[in-house]
Amino acid sequence: FLIKLFKFLMLFNDSELNRLDRFRVRRHGSKYYGFAISIEEVQEIMDFYFKVRPKIERIIKERRIN
């Protein structure tokens, strides 16, 4: 749902959305089916998060209703 919303609102580019979707699939696989996530995948997810974190925080601040 969130990925479709981000795409609709054009908050992230296609490359970022594809990565988010891939991370979602990996998370669901680990949570619901017990698939392992490698250290390399964890590092990739963390690197991506720290890269987009300022963008996410800016979006939240811009859309906050007072």
Side-chain angles (χ1 to χ4, degrees):
F1 173 77
L2 283 179
I3 294 172
K4 288 183 180 184
L5 178 63
F6 291 160
K7 185 172 187 168
F8 176 75
L9 296 174
M10 295 183 288
L11 300 177
F12 293 91
N13 64 43
D14 285 340
S15 175
E16 292 169 329
L17 291 171
N18 288 336
R19 289 181 77 187
L20 283 171
D21 193 46
R22 194 165 39 87
F23 297 154
R24 177 192 61 80
V25 169
R26 293 299 297 154
R27 179 192 175 276
H28 285 218
S30 70
K31 180 174 175 102
Y32 299 114
Y33 304 107
F35 297 144
I37 297 179
S38 71
I39 296 296
E40 292 81 15
E41 289 173 308
V42 170
Q43 188 62 53
E44 180 185 5
I45 293 167
M46 289 175 58
D47 291 345
F48 179 78
Y49 169 72
F50 288 119
K51 177 184 168 195
V52 299
R53 180 179 170 183
K55 184 177 189 176
I56 293 169
E57 289 174 343
R58 179 180 49 79
I59 291 166
I60 291 169
K61 284 181 183 178
E62 288 173 357
R63 297 180 187 280
R64 185 171 288 154
I65 299 173
N66 295 325

